């Protein structure tokens, strides 16, 4: 079935519309894990997403299609807890590994990644994202939270631990003890609901708040992962964009402060020290793992390697110390 036929069958199955109501199907780009499309139904426009059995990037990076169920379940948790900051959901088909949601659009809507790379004025996006993640983590750490849809540590291993950490450990054997320890830490934990892909490319900003999409990696796991994953994007952009560097490093600290107000399931300093260890590992992984960042040139990649290795071998104790060390190292390297 092509994407149009799958859309027809999905809207019919979910009772959203008749196949004949579909005026157009426009595939959306940016993703690597799914077929995703904007569907014009005349009276309204929706977005549909189907999981692909094989990602469009690396040949040996596969993940089962049932991750579409985990994604829908994560989006539902977000919609129930923070309706302003989530997409409205219109149903999911188990048979098609696909679901329908609101198409987020409007004059005020922009992708956070675009505003970061175009160095648009900072509107406090990092704080808003940190607050949202903190609320979801906190909610999911409480007794009574239904963890059943999120027993997905093996998918998380295939999508995150292996391509980021294990792959990097193969390239940097001197760091493999550090990286292996982090792999175990992430695999063994089930303390909070981890989104797993808190990247600016998956966050649409609108006036009500940030809308976090793309929850295919959702699992119960270690709380350090989401803040580290998101902070990594800010740190790499701080290395890449000297003009906004200081603002981005300030945002790193502000992000942590906003997130930390929600930590009730363990001492905040304990979690902070795990983030200080995982973050440099993820930095290195975006250079030498299976999902390399596209905007760094060779010189910048070497800078990321040098800074992240030093922070892995001698970790910072706090995020603020982490940001200071990145800033000082960059000055020392004259970049
Ligand atoms: N509900 C939506 N409304 C508007 N745009 C969307 C919506 N869902 C996804 N997109 C756009 O499509 C892109 C890819 O979607 P995403 O869920 O991230 O797929 P993938 O898993 O393939 O990365 C997003 O970066 C975003 O720009
Ligand atoms: Mg995406």
């Amino acid at each position: 079935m092509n994407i149009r036929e799958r859309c027809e069958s999905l809207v019919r199955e979910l009772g959203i519309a008749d196949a004949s109501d579909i005026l157009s199907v426009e595939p959306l780009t940016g993703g690597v894990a799914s077929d995703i499309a904007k569907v014009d139904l005349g009276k309204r426009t929706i977005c549909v997403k189907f999981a692909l059995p094989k990602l469009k990037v690396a040949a040996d990076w596969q993940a089962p299609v049932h991750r579409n169920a985990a994604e829908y379940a994560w989006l539902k948790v977000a919609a129930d807890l923070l309706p302003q900051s989530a997409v409205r959901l219109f149903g999911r088909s188990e048979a098609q590994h696909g679901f329908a949601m609101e198409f987020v659009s409007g004059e005020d809507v922009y992708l956070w990644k675009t505003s970061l790379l175009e160095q648009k004025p900072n509107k406090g996006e990092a704080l808003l994202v940190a607050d949202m993640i903190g609320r979801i983590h906190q909610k999911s750490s409480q007794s009574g939270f239904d963890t059943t849809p999120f027993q997905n540590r093996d998918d998380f291993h295939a999508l995150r631990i292996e391509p980021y950490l294990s792959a990097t450990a193969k390239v940097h054997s001197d760091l493999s003890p550090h990286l292996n320890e982090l792999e175990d830490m992430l695999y063994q934990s089930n303390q909070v609901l981890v989104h797993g892909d808190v990247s600016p490319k998956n966050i649409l900003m609108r006036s009500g708040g940030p809308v976090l999409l793309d929850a295919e990696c959702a699992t119960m796991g270690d709380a350090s992962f989401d803040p580290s994953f998101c902070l990594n994007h800010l740190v790499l952009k701080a290395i890449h964009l000297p003009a906004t560097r200081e603002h981005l490093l300030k945002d790193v600290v502000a992000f942590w402060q906003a997130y930390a107000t929600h930590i009730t399931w363990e001492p905040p300093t304990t979690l902070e020290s795990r983030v200080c260890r995982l973050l440099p590992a993820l930095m290195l992984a975006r250079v030498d793992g299976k999902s390399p960042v596209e905007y760094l040139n060779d010189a910048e990649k070497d800078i990321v390697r040098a800074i992240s290795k030093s922070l892995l071998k001698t970790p910072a104790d706090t995020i603020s110390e982490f940001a200071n060390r990145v800033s000082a190292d960059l000055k020392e390297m004259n970049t």
Side-chain angles (χ1 to χ4, degrees), residues 30-31 197 201-202 214:
D197 203 357
K201 77 172 181 338
N202 289 327
D214 208 358

Side-chain angles (χ1 to χ4, degrees), residues 81-295:
L81 186 65
L82 307 162
Q84 291 272 61
S85 196
V87 275
R88 274 183 296 136
L89 299 170
F90 303 136
R92 176 177 177 270
S93 160
E94 175 63 27
Q96 295 194 58
H97 310 294
F99 63 84
M101 63 184 144
E102 161 191 14
F103 182 77
V104 181
S105 63
E107 296 234 311
D108 59 330
V109 173
Y110 58 95
L111 198 66
W112 188 21
K113 177 174 182 168
T114 313
S115 77
L116 281 172
L117 286 178
E118 291 176 0
Q119 306 184 62
K120 293 265 168 64
N122 187 327
K123 293 191 190 148
E125 291 92 343
L127 273 169
L128 296 170
V129 172
D131 185 65
M132 168 179 57
I133 297 299
R135 284 176 196 278
I136 291 173
H137 282 188
Q138 187 190 57
K139 172 81 184 171
S140 65
S141 73
Q142 290 165 359
S143 61
F145 179 77
D146 181 12
T147 63
T148 327
F150 305 114
Q151 300 304 324
N152 304 325
R153 62 153 78 155
D154 290 316
D155 291 345
F156 188 77
H157 190 276
L159 286 161
R160 287 289 171 263
I161 299 177
E162 198 284 324
Y164 284 76
L165 301 178
S166 318
T168 306
K170 284 195 187 125
V171 179
H172 296 278
S173 52
D174 56 321
L175 294 168
S176 60
H178 296 280
L179 295 167
N180 294 155
E181 200 184 305
L182 293 167
E183 289 171 45
D184 284 346
M185 171 187 102
L186 293 176
Y187 187 70
Q188 299 303 340
S189 174
N190 61 358
Q191 64 179 172
V192 301
L193 174 57
V194 170
H195 174 278
D197 203 357
V198 186
S199 156
K201 77 172 181 338
N202 289 327
I203 300 175
L204 289 169
M205 303 299 310
R206 69 173 163 194
S207 51
V211 180
L212 179 50
L213 304 160
D214 208 358
E216 292 181 297
C217 300
T219 185
M220 293 308 288
D222 194 282
S224 64
F225 191 81
D226 284 338
S228 303
F229 198 84
C230 188
L231 289 174
N232 188 29
H233 286 272
L234 297 179
V235 174
L236 294 176
K237 285 178 184 71
I239 292 171
H240 175 60
L241 302 168
T244 40
R245 177 169 298 158
E246 289 312 313
H247 289 296
L248 286 168
L249 291 175
K250 270 194 193 132
D251 264 0
V252 166
V253 177
F255 178 105
W256 180 257
Q257 284 167 347
Y259 173 85
T261 61
H262 300 289
I263 307 169
T264 48
W265 55 91
E266 67 175 305
T269 50
T270 316
L271 178 49
E272 187 170 9
S273 76
R274 291 207 301 290
V275 173
C276 285
R277 287 186 289 133
L278 181 57
L279 179 48
L282 294 178
M283 288 167 69
L284 190 57
R286 289 310 302 275
V287 172
D288 289 323
K290 285 190 188 171
S291 177
V293 68
E294 80 286 0
Y295 53 76

